[in-house]
Amino acid sequence: MITTHPFYDEHGDKLREECGVFGAINAGDDASAATALGLHALQHRGQEAVGITSFDGKHFFTRRGLGHVAENFSSPESIAELPGHMAAGHVRYSTTGGAGLRNVQPLYADLATGGFAVAHNGNFSNAGALRAELVQKGAIFQSTSDTEVVIHLVATSRYPTLRDRLVDALRLVEGAYALIVMTPEGMIACRDPLGIRPLQMGRMGDAVVFASETVAFDVVGAQFERQVEPGELIEVDFEGKVKSFRPFGESPSRPCIFEHVYFSRPDSVFDGRSIYEARKAIGQQLAIESPCEADLVVPVPDSGVPAAIGYAQESGIPFELGIIRSHYVGRTFIQPSDGARHAGVKRKHNANRAMVEGKRIVLIDDSIVRGTTSLQIVEMMRDAGAKEVHFRVASPPTAHSCFYGVDTPERNKLLAAQMELEPMREYIKADSLAFVSIDGLYRAVGEKPRVAKCPQFCDACFTGDYPTSLTDLEMKEKGTAQLSFPVNKVA
């Protein structure tokens, strides 16, 4: 029987990357079509809204909408509204700033230097403080997105060139960003100095393309060239010249390790490694660290599949699809009653009774956030006749909120922040529960064990070791300032 619990959340029980970006320059008449197709490949990174801005040499054009890429950019007419040989787009969930059409990116402004459009993946952890200061100086904001802070900082910078003004603005922000900027002179792509958020560069004939993940290049027929390095700023003009700058110096990178665990599509490559292979290796490491006597290894689809394959291969326990997922459940599915809403997991997952009945099963999932879905999946397995249900998690316990562009609950709603391992096991009603260790996770993605003084990744959601200052959070906790929008808002 499915029950409700204090950590219940009708929006789901997964960490969500809040956005993905794609840009193309010198793509002829295909710039907007390629951008729409690239965004479709990045749809898993944001399903709340989508926008594309194009430039035809004289004018900027923007089309934005709520919902999926296919709902807004599937017709020839929608692409025809976006002429030009340069375009950039964005898919999003909302964290900082909240939902609404006015927050859909790319954001655009007419500056003294001309048109300026920006698509941003990430979060500025001092955006509230910067925004309050700008408002006091007379700035008028059109959105509640932290991204608009960059536009105002660029507009008020006194440096002579647009590139220098952008660098000047970015020196004032803290946190994480992968930006694609369009101006009348061309396209600029840049990544935060720690490389927390991903950004890749490719080529499609004469066009230069940028995307959050390499899978977008596969879909549009582009060749992956390299990642945009942490702290790197790349300028591409309309003659095809590509210039690279490192205005922030060199520092040890801290890319988000959760890209390996969950965010990126399995067919992407991140930091030079196949995401699919990395997730299988995490499952293998999990089997080494936390073996279990069982009859079947069952993934929680779809994100648990590669790790479950790795666990099965390492343990020798057969892999089976003991849970079948429906791919036709939208986020706005009409709920007929509170009871049905509370049993929402059954809309997405159903037990494959023929496989699990009478069996000892090992469930493999990528993470436990609030624990509500894990509890309901375990109960569903027992209702289907499973003899034992052992839960294995392909990441360490998520005990801390993210402030770098990932939609996470406040810490008091994270199960691992409130409970030790045994109470967590009791809460989700599993026969046993185990997580991969932080060092095991590092080994699985091809690194040495975690270096405490200088970690190789941003793993703050597991360790609480945040790689940057968290000005807005500190101000909120001290009550020293009124921020202009909520910190770490949950969509």
Side-chain angles (χ1 to χ4, degrees):
M1 177 181 176
I2 303 297
T3 56
T4 60
H5 294 267
F7 292 97
Y8 174 74
D9 171 42
E10 65 179 302
H11 295 293
D13 189 26
K14 290 286 184 184
L15 298 184
R16 300 190 305 193
E17 229 295 359
E18 125 248 19
C19 49
V21 294
F22 186 95
I25 182 171
N26 301 322
D29 295 332
D30 294 329
S32 293
T35 299
L37 193 58
L39 292 176
H40 192 273
L42 300 173
Q43 187 74 86
H44 59 287
R45 299 184 77 92
Q47 299 176 42
E48 177 184 282
V50 57
I52 295 176
T53 297
S54 70
F55 180 67
D56 68 355
K58 293 184 178 180
H59 304 288
F60 286 86
F61 305 85
T62 297
R63 179 185 173 94
R64 298 180 293 174
L66 302 179
H68 291 182
V69 177
E71 295 170 347
N72 290 280
F73 295 101
S74 60
S75 69
E77 292 78 14
S78 62
I79 300 300
E81 293 179 15
L82 299 163
H85 44 278
M86 177 173 70
H90 185 272
V91 290
R92 79 184 298 259
Y93 283 120
S94 63
T95 53
T96 297
L101 195 59
R102 64 175 175 161
N103 291 321
V104 179
Q105 299 184 35
L107 297 184
Y108 174 82
D110 284 308
L111 306 184
T113 54
F116 184 92
V118 58
H120 170 208
N121 172 21
N123 246 39
F124 302 133
S125 55
N126 65 336
L130 290 172
R131 182 186 179 104
E133 183 178 341
L134 286 162
V135 169
Q136 287 180 352
K137 292 179 178 179
I140 300 173
F141 282 76
Q142 301 299 313
S143 76
T144 56
S145 168
D146 64 333
T147 308
E148 193 178 356
V149 168
V150 169
I151 296 177
H152 285 274
L153 292 174
V154 170
T156 55
S157 173
R158 296 183 179 274
Y159 280 85
T161 69
L162 190 286
R163 183 185 73 235
D164 288 340
R165 293 173 111 182
L166 178 61
V167 170
D168 185 36
L170 294 178
R171 289 188 192 280
L172 296 175
V173 303
E174 66 186 33
Y177 57 84
L179 297 177
I180 296 178
V181 174
M182 295 196 303
T183 76
E185 284 72 47
M187 180 171 284
I188 300 173
C190 53
R191 195 172 171 204
D192 66 77
L194 295 177
I196 299 174
R197 299 263 64 83
L199 191 60
Q200 318 295 336
M201 177 179 173
R203 289 189 180 268
M204 186 175 63
D206 293 331
V208 176
V209 291
F210 298 96
S212 295
E213 292 184 37
T214 62
V215 67
F217 299 153
D218 299 336
V219 172
V220 303
Q223 294 296 315
F224 169 65
E225 190 164 290
R226 65 179 180 86
Q227 72 171 355
V228 178
E229 295 297 331
E232 184 181 19
L233 186 151
I234 298 176
E235 271 188 339
V236 187
D237 65 20
F238 295 120
E239 294 180 356
K241 295 179 182 177
V242 179
K243 298 179 181 179
S244 173
F245 304 89
R246 301 298 292 267
F248 309 110
E250 303 266 348
S251 59
S253 63
R254 296 278 299 272
C256 173
I257 199 168
F258 224 89
E259 294 286 344
H260 288 294
V261 174
Y262 175 67
F263 295 143
S264 292
R265 260 178 53 164
D267 43 347
S268 282
V269 174
F270 179 64
D271 261 5
R273 179 153 197 195
S274 159
I275 293 294
Y276 180 79
E277 291 294 335
R279 289 177 187 166
K280 280 180 57 180
I282 296 171
Q284 291 169 338
Q285 185 65 36
L286 186 57
I288 293 170
E289 294 181 356
S290 302
C292 180
E293 290 191 10
D295 304 308
L296 297 177
V297 173
V298 174
V300 177
D302 289 320
S303 56
V305 172
I309 292 173
Y311 193 100
Q313 289 176 347
E314 180 65 32
S315 66
I317 301 171
F319 171 95
E320 292 289 353
L321 295 179
I323 302 171
I324 306 300
R325 181 189 171 192
S326 169
H327 292 269
Y328 303 99
V329 178
R331 293 187 305 113
T332 56
F333 186 89
I334 296 172
Q335 301 285 2
S337 67
D338 286 344
R341 181 168 60 251
H342 295 158
V345 68
K346 285 196 170 183
R347 295 187 285 111
K348 295 182 179 180
H349 301 103
N350 190 48
N352 186 358
R353 181 179 290 271
M355 284 291 98
V356 304
E357 190 169 18
K359 303 289 180 55
R360 301 169 300 171
I361 63 173
V362 183
L363 284 173
I364 309 291
D365 205 356
D366 60 87
S367 60
I368 293 179
V369 183
R370 296 175 178 86
T372 52
T373 295
S374 304
L375 163 65
Q376 293 170 354
I377 291 289
V378 169
E379 290 184 335
M380 185 171 65
M381 292 292 95
R382 295 201 190 279
D383 290 345
K387 186 177 179 181
E388 296 177 8
V389 182
H390 302 273
F391 213 102
R392 298 292 181 268
V393 186
S395 64
T398 302
H400 303 270
S401 298
C402 176
F403 300 93
Y404 302 122
V406 178
D407 181 9
T408 55
E410 294 180 359
R411 192 162 186 244
N412 61 7
K413 294 183 179 179
L414 294 170
L415 194 67
Q418 306 303 312
M419 299 181 183
E420 298 294 331
L421 185 64
E422 179 58 19
M424 289 176 68
R425 181 200 67 77
E426 294 177 354
Y427 179 83
I428 69 170
K429 300 182 180 180
D431 289 285
S432 68
L433 171 65
F435 296 79
V436 73
S437 68
I438 189 70
D439 285 345
L441 177 59
Y442 271 59
R443 281 192 290 270
V445 300
E447 289 286 346
K448 296 178 181 178
R450 185 179 191 272
V451 180
K453 292 184 179 180
C454 187
Q456 303 92 307
F457 293 97
C458 177
D459 53 22
C461 55
F462 306 133
T463 64
D465 183 359
Y466 294 98
T468 74
S469 299
L470 300 175
T471 298
D472 287 352
L473 178 66
E474 292 167 2
M475 292 173 67
K476 180 182 178 183
E477 289 177 342
K478 292 178 181 178
T480 57
Q482 293 293 321
L483 300 183
S484 298
F485 48 76
V487 176
N488 200 45
K489 177 176 172 60
V490 177

PDB file of all heavy atoms in Angstrom, residues 183-208:
ATOM      1  N   THR A 183      26.234  38.922 -29.551  1.00  0.00           N
ATOM      2  CA  THR A 183      26.316  40.360 -29.757  1.00  0.00           C
ATOM      3  C   THR A 183      26.349  40.618 -31.265  1.00  0.00           C
ATOM      4  O   THR A 183      26.504  39.663 -32.053  1.00  0.00           O
ATOM      5  CB  THR A 183      27.599  40.937 -29.120  1.00  0.00           C
ATOM      6  OG1 THR A 183      28.729  40.609 -29.953  1.00  0.00           O
ATOM      7  CG2 THR A 183      27.814  40.397 -27.713  1.00  0.00           C
ATOM      8  N   PRO A 184      26.256  41.862 -31.699  1.00  0.00           N
ATOM      9  CA  PRO A 184      26.358  42.140 -33.136  1.00  0.00           C
ATOM     10  C   PRO A 184      27.715  41.766 -33.733  1.00  0.00           C
ATOM     11  O   PRO A 184      27.853  41.683 -34.949  1.00  0.00           O
ATOM     12  CB  PRO A 184      26.122  43.656 -33.210  1.00  0.00           C
ATOM     13  CG  PRO A 184      25.302  43.965 -32.010  1.00  0.00           C
ATOM     14  CD  PRO A 184      25.832  43.048 -30.944  1.00  0.00           C
ATOM     15  N   GLU A 185      28.721  41.527 -32.889  1.00  0.00           N
ATOM     16  CA  GLU A 185      30.051  41.161 -33.376  1.00  0.00           C
ATOM     17  C   GLU A 185      30.260  39.651 -33.440  1.00  0.00           C
ATOM     18  O   GLU A 185      31.225  39.189 -34.037  1.00  0.00           O
ATOM     19  CB  GLU A 185      31.133  41.768 -32.473  1.00  0.00           C
ATOM     20  CG  GLU A 185      31.353  43.259 -32.676  1.00  0.00           C
ATOM     21  CD  GLU A 185      30.202  44.084 -32.123  1.00  0.00           C
ATOM     22  OE1 GLU A 185      29.792  43.807 -30.979  1.00  0.00           O
ATOM     23  OE2 GLU A 185      29.697  44.971 -32.832  1.00  0.00           O
ATOM     24  N   GLY A 186      29.394  38.859 -32.793  1.00  0.00           N
ATOM     25  CA  GLY A 186      29.587  37.425 -32.822  1.00  0.00           C
ATOM     26  C   GLY A 186      29.107  36.749 -31.557  1.00  0.00           C
ATOM     27  O   GLY A 186      28.237  37.257 -30.846  1.00  0.00           O
ATOM     28  N   MET A 187      29.711  35.617 -31.246  1.00  0.00           N
ATOM     29  CA  MET A 187      29.296  34.793 -30.102  1.00  0.00           C
ATOM     30  C   MET A 187      30.451  34.638 -29.126  1.00  0.00           C
ATOM     31  O   MET A 187      31.604  34.477 -29.522  1.00  0.00           O
ATOM     32  CB  MET A 187      28.814  33.422 -30.597  1.00  0.00           C
ATOM     33  CG  MET A 187      28.350  32.469 -29.499  1.00  0.00           C
ATOM     34  SD  MET A 187      27.552  30.981 -30.192  1.00  0.00           S
ATOM     35  CE  MET A 187      25.948  31.649 -30.672  1.00  0.00           C
ATOM     36  N   ILE A 188      30.112  34.690 -27.849  1.00  0.00           N
ATOM     37  CA  ILE A 188      31.082  34.452 -26.785  1.00  0.00           C
ATOM     38  C   ILE A 188      30.570  33.302 -25.922  1.00  0.00           C
ATOM     39  O   ILE A 188      29.415  33.295 -25.513  1.00  0.00           O
ATOM     40  CB  ILE A 188      31.269  35.701 -25.901  1.00  0.00           C
ATOM     41  CG1 ILE A 188      31.760  36.893 -26.735  1.00  0.00           C
ATOM     42  CG2 ILE A 188      32.246  35.412 -24.763  1.00  0.00           C
ATOM     43  CD1 ILE A 188      31.809  38.193 -25.951  1.00  0.00           C
ATOM     44  N   ALA A 189      31.438  32.332 -25.659  1.00  0.00           N
ATOM     45  CA  ALA A 189      31.104  31.233 -24.753  1.00  0.00           C
ATOM     46  C   ALA A 189      32.110  31.238 -23.618  1.00  0.00           C
ATOM     47  O   ALA A 189      33.309  31.404 -23.845  1.00  0.00           O
ATOM     48  CB  ALA A 189      31.137  29.900 -25.488  1.00  0.00           C
ATOM     49  N   CYS A 190      31.639  31.097 -22.402  1.00  0.00           N
ATOM     50  CA  CYS A 190      32.571  31.102 -21.269  1.00  0.00           C
ATOM     51  C   CYS A 190      32.051  30.215 -20.145  1.00  0.00           C
ATOM     52  O   CYS A 190      30.862  29.921 -20.055  1.00  0.00           O
ATOM     53  CB  CYS A 190      32.828  32.513 -20.773  1.00  0.00           C
ATOM     54  SG  CYS A 190      31.358  33.480 -20.367  1.00  0.00           S
ATOM     55  N   ARG A 191      32.985  29.825 -19.305  1.00  0.00           N
ATOM     56  CA  ARG A 191      32.715  28.875 -18.224  1.00  0.00           C
ATOM     57  C   ARG A 191      33.343  29.398 -16.949  1.00  0.00           C
ATOM     58  O   ARG A 191      34.411  30.022 -16.970  1.00  0.00           O
ATOM     59  CB  ARG A 191      33.319  27.522 -18.619  1.00  0.00           C
ATOM     60  CG  ARG A 191      32.849  26.330 -17.823  1.00  0.00           C
ATOM     61  CD  ARG A 191      33.379  25.058 -18.447  1.00  0.00           C
ATOM     62  NE  ARG A 191      33.141  23.900 -17.600  1.00  0.00           N
ATOM     63  CZ  ARG A 191      33.863  22.788 -17.654  1.00  0.00           C
ATOM     64  NH1 ARG A 191      34.858  22.684 -18.523  1.00  0.00           N
ATOM     65  NH2 ARG A 191      33.592  21.783 -16.847  1.00  0.00           N
ATOM     66  N   ASP A 192      32.716  29.141 -15.830  1.00  0.00           N
ATOM     67  CA  ASP A 192      33.224  29.676 -14.567  1.00  0.00           C
ATOM     68  C   ASP A 192      34.624  29.139 -14.275  1.00  0.00           C
ATOM     69  O   ASP A 192      35.009  28.081 -14.770  1.00  0.00           O
ATOM     70  CB  ASP A 192      32.255  29.354 -13.418  1.00  0.00           C
ATOM     71  CG  ASP A 192      32.160  27.872 -13.125  1.00  0.00           C
ATOM     72  OD1 ASP A 192      33.080  27.331 -12.484  1.00  0.00           O
ATOM     73  OD2 ASP A 192      31.158  27.248 -13.526  1.00  0.00           O
ATOM     74  N   PRO A 193      35.425  29.870 -13.493  1.00  0.00           N
ATOM     75  CA  PRO A 193      36.827  29.494 -13.272  1.00  0.00           C
ATOM     76  C   PRO A 193      37.039  28.095 -12.707  1.00  0.00           C
ATOM     77  O   PRO A 193      38.097  27.499 -12.916  1.00  0.00           O
ATOM     78  CB  PRO A 193      37.324  30.566 -12.287  1.00  0.00           C
ATOM     79  CG  PRO A 193      36.482  31.759 -12.586  1.00  0.00           C
ATOM     80  CD  PRO A 193      35.113  31.192 -12.899  1.00  0.00           C
ATOM     81  N   LEU A 194      36.060  27.564 -11.988  1.00  0.00           N
ATOM     82  CA  LEU A 194      36.186  26.207 -11.447  1.00  0.00           C
ATOM     83  C   LEU A 194      35.594  25.153 -12.380  1.00  0.00           C
ATOM     84  O   LEU A 194      35.716  23.954 -12.109  1.00  0.00           O
ATOM     85  CB  LEU A 194      35.508  26.123 -10.074  1.00  0.00           C
ATOM     86  CG  LEU A 194      36.141  26.977  -8.970  1.00  0.00           C
ATOM     87  CD1 LEU A 194      35.334  26.868  -7.681  1.00  0.00           C
ATOM     88  CD2 LEU A 194      37.583  26.576  -8.732  1.00  0.00           C
ATOM     89  N   GLY A 195      34.913  25.586 -13.439  1.00  0.00           N
ATOM     90  CA  GLY A 195      34.332  24.629 -14.384  1.00  0.00           C
ATOM     91  C   GLY A 195      33.231  23.796 -13.773  1.00  0.00           C
ATOM     92  O   GLY A 195      33.046  22.632 -14.150  1.00  0.00           O
ATOM     93  N   ILE A 196      32.485  24.369 -12.842  1.00  0.00           N
ATOM     94  CA  ILE A 196      31.441  23.593 -12.159  1.00  0.00           C
ATOM     95  C   ILE A 196      30.383  23.122 -13.147  1.00  0.00           C
ATOM     96  O   ILE A 196      29.987  21.962 -13.168  1.00  0.00           O
ATOM     97  CB  ILE A 196      30.808  24.427 -11.022  1.00  0.00           C
ATOM     98  CG1 ILE A 196      31.865  24.797  -9.972  1.00  0.00           C
ATOM     99  CG2 ILE A 196      29.668  23.644 -10.358  1.00  0.00           C
ATOM    100  CD1 ILE A 196      31.366  25.749  -8.897  1.00  0.00           C
ATOM    101  N   ARG A 197      29.918  24.029 -13.983  1.00  0.00           N
ATOM    102  CA  ARG A 197      28.922  23.673 -14.990  1.00  0.00           C
ATOM    103  C   ARG A 197      29.618  23.351 -16.305  1.00  0.00           C
ATOM    104  O   ARG A 197      30.624  23.981 -16.666  1.00  0.00           O
ATOM    105  CB  ARG A 197      27.924  24.815 -15.192  1.00  0.00           C
ATOM    106  CG  ARG A 197      27.145  25.163 -13.938  1.00  0.00           C
ATOM    107  CD  ARG A 197      25.773  24.507 -13.884  1.00  0.00           C
ATOM    108  NE  ARG A 197      25.790  23.062 -13.820  1.00  0.00           N
ATOM    109  CZ  ARG A 197      25.949  22.352 -12.703  1.00  0.00           C
ATOM    110  NH1 ARG A 197      26.116  22.949 -11.564  1.00  0.00           N
ATOM    111  NH2 ARG A 197      25.923  21.041 -12.748  1.00  0.00           N
ATOM    112  N   PRO A 198      29.104  22.387 -17.074  1.00  0.00           N
ATOM    113  CA  PRO A 198      29.795  21.937 -18.287  1.00  0.00           C
ATOM    114  C   PRO A 198      29.490  22.803 -19.506  1.00  0.00           C
ATOM    115  O   PRO A 198      28.423  23.419 -19.603  1.00  0.00           O
ATOM    116  CB  PRO A 198      29.226  20.532 -18.480  1.00  0.00           C
ATOM    117  CG  PRO A 198      27.824  20.616 -17.932  1.00  0.00           C
ATOM    118  CD  PRO A 198      27.907  21.578 -16.766  1.00  0.00           C
ATOM    119  N   LEU A 199      30.421  22.854 -20.438  1.00  0.00           N
ATOM    120  CA  LEU A 199      30.201  23.511 -21.727  1.00  0.00           C
ATOM    121  C   LEU A 199      31.174  22.912 -22.735  1.00  0.00           C
ATOM    122  O   LEU A 199      32.379  22.828 -22.475  1.00  0.00           O
ATOM    123  CB  LEU A 199      30.400  25.020 -21.618  1.00  0.00           C
ATOM    124  CG  LEU A 199      29.956  25.851 -22.834  1.00  0.00           C
ATOM    125  CD1 LEU A 199      28.464  25.658 -23.102  1.00  0.00           C
ATOM    126  CD2 LEU A 199      30.271  27.329 -22.631  1.00  0.00           C
ATOM    127  N   GLN A 200      30.636  22.492 -23.870  1.00  0.00           N
ATOM    128  CA  GLN A 200      31.415  21.812 -24.890  1.00  0.00           C
ATOM    129  C   GLN A 200      31.437  22.640 -26.180  1.00  0.00           C
ATOM    130  O   GLN A 200      30.517  23.411 -26.447  1.00  0.00           O
ATOM    131  CB  GLN A 200      30.818  20.422 -25.190  1.00  0.00           C
ATOM    132  CG  GLN A 200      30.376  19.631 -23.972  1.00  0.00           C
ATOM    133  CD  GLN A 200      31.509  19.256 -23.051  1.00  0.00           C
ATOM    134  OE1 GLN A 200      32.664  19.170 -23.467  1.00  0.00           O
ATOM    135  NE2 GLN A 200      31.189  19.038 -21.766  1.00  0.00           N
ATOM    136  N   MET A 201      32.460  22.419 -27.006  1.00  0.00           N
ATOM    137  CA  MET A 201      32.617  23.125 -28.276  1.00  0.00           C
ATOM    138  C   MET A 201      32.740  22.118 -29.403  1.00  0.00           C
ATOM    139  O   MET A 201      33.402  21.083 -29.260  1.00  0.00           O
ATOM    140  CB  MET A 201      33.857  24.015 -28.224  1.00  0.00           C
ATOM    141  CG  MET A 201      34.172  24.745 -29.510  1.00  0.00           C
ATOM    142  SD  MET A 201      35.651  25.791 -29.299  1.00  0.00           S
ATOM    143  CE  MET A 201      35.904  26.342 -30.989  1.00  0.00           C
ATOM    144  N   GLY A 202      32.074  22.399 -30.521  1.00  0.00           N
ATOM    145  CA  GLY A 202      32.149  21.519 -31.669  1.00  0.00           C
ATOM    146  C   GLY A 202      32.099  22.303 -32.964  1.00  0.00           C
ATOM    147  O   GLY A 202      31.988  23.526 -32.974  1.00  0.00           O
ATOM    148  N   ARG A 203      32.165  21.586 -34.089  1.00  0.00           N
ATOM    149  CA  ARG A 203      32.082  22.213 -35.411  1.00  0.00           C
ATOM    150  C   ARG A 203      31.098  21.450 -36.279  1.00  0.00           C
ATOM    151  O   ARG A 203      31.035  20.217 -36.245  1.00  0.00           O
ATOM    152  CB  ARG A 203      33.449  22.266 -36.082  1.00  0.00           C
ATOM    153  CG  ARG A 203      34.395  23.264 -35.423  1.00  0.00           C
ATOM    154  CD  ARG A 203      35.666  23.467 -36.220  1.00  0.00           C
ATOM    155  NE  ARG A 203      36.555  24.422 -35.564  1.00  0.00           N
ATOM    156  CZ  ARG A 203      36.562  25.727 -35.805  1.00  0.00           C
ATOM    157  NH1 ARG A 203      35.713  26.217 -36.703  1.00  0.00           N
ATOM    158  NH2 ARG A 203      37.413  26.529 -35.172  1.00  0.00           N
ATOM    159  N   MET A 204      30.373  22.208 -37.058  1.00  0.00           N
ATOM    160  CA  MET A 204      29.387  21.661 -37.978  1.00  0.00           C
ATOM    161  C   MET A 204      29.606  22.355 -39.327  1.00  0.00           C
ATOM    162  O   MET A 204      29.027  23.398 -39.601  1.00  0.00           O
ATOM    163  CB  MET A 204      27.978  21.940 -37.446  1.00  0.00           C
ATOM    164  CG  MET A 204      26.855  21.304 -38.221  1.00  0.00           C
ATOM    165  SD  MET A 204      25.245  21.599 -37.417  1.00  0.00           S
ATOM    166  CE  MET A 204      25.117  23.391 -37.494  1.00  0.00           C
ATOM    167  N   GLY A 205      30.499  21.777 -40.139  1.00  0.00           N
ATOM    168  CA  GLY A 205      30.906  22.454 -41.365  1.00  0.00           C
ATOM    169  C   GLY A 205      31.662  23.718 -41.008  1.00  0.00           C
ATOM    170  O   GLY A 205      32.645  23.699 -40.260  1.00  0.00           O
ATOM    171  N   ASP A 206      31.193  24.860 -41.515  1.00  0.00           N
ATOM    172  CA  ASP A 206      31.825  26.148 -41.201  1.00  0.00           C
ATOM    173  C   ASP A 206      31.338  26.723 -39.876  1.00  0.00           C
ATOM    174  O   ASP A 206      31.867  27.734 -39.411  1.00  0.00           O
ATOM    175  CB  ASP A 206      31.526  27.161 -42.319  1.00  0.00           C
ATOM    176  CG  ASP A 206      32.186  26.783 -43.631  1.00  0.00           C
ATOM    177  OD1 ASP A 206      33.247  26.126 -43.594  1.00  0.00           O
ATOM    178  OD2 ASP A 206      31.644  27.132 -44.696  1.00  0.00           O
ATOM    179  N   ALA A 207      30.348  26.116 -39.291  1.00  0.00           N
ATOM    180  CA  ALA A 207      29.761  26.646 -38.063  1.00  0.00           C
ATOM    181  C   ALA A 207      30.534  26.171 -36.836  1.00  0.00           C
ATOM    182  O   ALA A 207      31.054  25.049 -36.792  1.00  0.00           O
ATOM    183  CB  ALA A 207      28.302  26.213 -37.948  1.00  0.00           C
ATOM    184  N   VAL A 208      30.604  27.048 -35.842  1.00  0.00           N
ATOM    185  CA  VAL A 208      31.100  26.685 -34.515  1.00  0.00           C
ATOM    186  C   VAL A 208      29.883  26.563 -33.613  1.00  0.00           C
ATOM    187  O   VAL A 208      28.993  27.417 -33.632  1.00  0.00           O
ATOM    188  CB  VAL A 208      32.070  27.749 -33.958  1.00  0.00           C
ATOM    189  CG1 VAL A 208      32.490  27.388 -32.537  1.00  0.00           C
ATOM    190  CG2 VAL A 208      33.292  27.870 -34.855  1.00  0.00           C
TER     191      VAL A 208
END
